[in-house]
Amino acid sequence: MDLLALEAKNANGAEPEKKPAPRPKPKPPKKAKRIVYFEVEIVDLKTKEKLLLLDKVEPTATVLDIKALFHKSYPKWYPARQSLRLDPKAKSLRDEDILQTLPVGTTASFYFSDLGPQVTWGTVFLTECAGPLIIYLMFYFRLPFIYSPKYDFTSSKHWVVHLACMCHSFHYIKRILETLFVHRISHGTMPLRNIFKNCGYYWCSAAWMAYYINHPLYTTPYYGMQQVHMGLYIFLFCQVGNFSIHVALRNLKSPGSKAKKIPYPTKNPFTWIFWLVSCPNYTYELGSWIGFTVMTQCVPVAFFTLVAFIQMTVWAKGKHRSYLKEFRDYPTLRSSILPFIL
């Protein structure tokens, strides 16, 4: 009896068998977001004629993507040759602008204009610099049909003439090497017609100053070798400074990036001028030509320096305004090209 009672007690006191926990119901799959496609209409800027209608353009498409689609329908207008804008009087859109970020609805109209045949900026820079280098040497070696026949292939007796040739050649060889190995050019192309204007200016200026510096009747500077040496020191100092700025600007951008940053001085003392000016590359370029003017005491060189200063001031002011517009924390102490002056 006791044994039976004990078994019954154990049976009654046993824990009930646990039921398995119910499995959580799987969450319903998220509904894919509906993509709103754009309809893009491309209209000729001059004639207002509808050139192309693109439907189902993705909202993440860039202006460059739209240019590529337009190029498929009109092969003669490659992307670099196209200018697209939202309004006939507005500025051209940038290639990296995204469609959905533009102030347009799902139906967008772009106004197209032909920029004409294009050429890369690297080609332009190389052509601009190679011309003056070759032209100056033609006058230096006094090739026939330049001066009187009795002076053909003769050499000047003045040391400053040879020094000027070395400085002029060094300047343009430096610019060619910088174009090939230092500069990261953000703008891809420029109109082909501009290369004739740019080269005409540089080539004619080089011929004008070379004609007088290498002329058989050229007279040396008024203060002699002291003036020549002073001009040489200014020239060399500014050439090193100009190169230092170009390297600093190159290091500011990573390859292929178009992101803009504020340039600041580095450990190189030649870059410390960044504390005072926005475009010290133009400041040093101006100083180089001032040094060359002092060294040669030649009116055409002085005139070229003045014109270059006016043009570089225009470029520097535009760059300075761009910095102030894009960066709220841009240093307020900086001037455009000349510290505290301009």
Side-chain angles (χ1 to χ4, degrees), residues 23 37 65 113 137 184 192 210 214 217 226 232 234 257 300 302:
R23 294 182 180 179
Y37 291 97
D65 295 332
S113 61
L137 292 175
R184 287 183 177 144
L192 178 62
N214 297 286
L217 301 180
Q226 290 184 344
L232 176 64
I234 295 173
S257 174

Side-chain angles (χ1 to χ4, degrees), residues 56-276:
K56 291 189 176 181
V57 180
E58 294 187 358
T60 56
T62 62
V63 172
L64 183 60
D65 295 332
I66 296 173
K67 289 182 177 181
L69 294 173
F70 184 67
H71 175 52
K72 291 181 179 179
S73 299
Y74 295 90
K76 68 175 182 178
W77 290 323
Y78 45 89
R81 188 169 175 165
Q82 301 173 32
S83 170
L84 296 179
R85 58 193 77 188
L86 296 176
D87 185 84
K89 297 182 180 179
K91 292 182 179 180
S92 297
L93 297 170
R94 298 176 300 175
D95 286 347
E96 59 269 20
D97 287 338
I98 300 174
L99 183 58
Q100 63 183 358
T101 62
L102 298 175
V104 295
T106 54
T107 301
S109 295
F110 289 87
Y111 292 90
F112 161 80
S113 61
D114 181 14
L115 297 176
Q118 300 289 298
V119 62
T120 62
W121 276 91
T123 302
V124 174
F125 289 150
L126 291 175
T127 308
E128 286 178 355
C129 298
L133 176 62
I134 297 172
I135 289 172
Y136 194 99
L137 292 175
M138 291 171 59
F139 285 87
Y140 174 75
F141 290 110
R142 296 178 178 173
L143 298 184
F145 308 109
I146 296 179
Y147 304 113
S148 177
K150 67 178 180 179
Y151 296 112
D152 290 349
F153 299 108
T154 58
S155 178
S156 175
K157 63 181 179 180
H158 303 300
W159 167 241
V160 64
V161 173
H162 307 295
L163 189 61
C165 180
M166 287 187 284
C167 290
H168 189 274
S169 301
F170 172 81
H171 173 73
Y172 282 102
I173 291 173
K174 165 184 164 293
R175 288 186 59 175
I176 291 173
L177 294 176
E178 286 177 340
T179 301
L180 294 173
F181 304 110
V182 178
H183 293 315
R184 287 183 177 144
I185 303 170
S186 56
H187 299 284
T189 62
M190 71 178 296
L192 178 62
R193 60 181 178 271
N194 286 4
I195 196 172
F196 299 102
K197 178 180 65 177
N198 292 15
C199 290
Y201 166 70
Y202 284 105
W203 292 16
C204 292
S205 298
W208 189 28
M209 65 177 72
Y211 176 82
Y212 285 97
I213 295 175
N214 297 286
H215 198 283
L217 301 180
Y218 169 77
T219 54
T220 57
Y222 182 78
Y223 293 101
M225 293 307 296
Q226 290 184 344
Q227 180 176 337
V228 172
H229 290 157
M230 179 181 295
L232 176 64
Y233 297 150
I234 295 173
F235 176 85
L236 293 177
F237 178 87
C238 291
Q239 286 289 285
V240 176
N242 181 263
F243 175 75
S244 300
I245 298 301
H246 287 162
V247 172
L249 293 175
R250 170 192 168 85
N251 295 336
L252 199 64
K253 286 184 178 181
S254 55
S257 174
K258 292 188 177 181
K260 295 183 179 180
K261 300 177 182 178
I262 301 176
Y264 285 104
T266 65
K267 295 180 180 179
N268 184 343
F270 286 96
T271 66
W272 294 354
I273 193 175
F274 266 125
W275 292 119
L276 301 177

Side-chain angles (χ1 to χ4, degrees), residues 249 252 260-263 278-279 318-328 330 334:
L249 293 175
L252 199 64
K260 295 183 179 180
K261 300 177 182 178
I262 301 176
S278 295
C279 302
K319 190 70 173 179
H320 184 71
R321 285 194 298 267
S322 177
Y323 280 140
L324 293 174
K325 184 178 180 180
E326 293 183 25
F327 303 106
R328 294 183 178 180
Y330 191 73
R334 294 186 186 182

Side-chain angles (χ1 to χ4, degrees), residues 272-299:
W272 294 354
I273 193 175
F274 266 125
W275 292 119
L276 301 177
V277 293
S278 295
C279 302
N281 52 321
Y282 295 143
T283 309
Y284 281 125
E285 181 76 7
L286 173 63
S288 296
W289 286 109
I290 289 176
F292 196 71
T293 302
V294 172
M295 180 173 59
T296 59
Q297 194 173 293
C298 184
V299 173

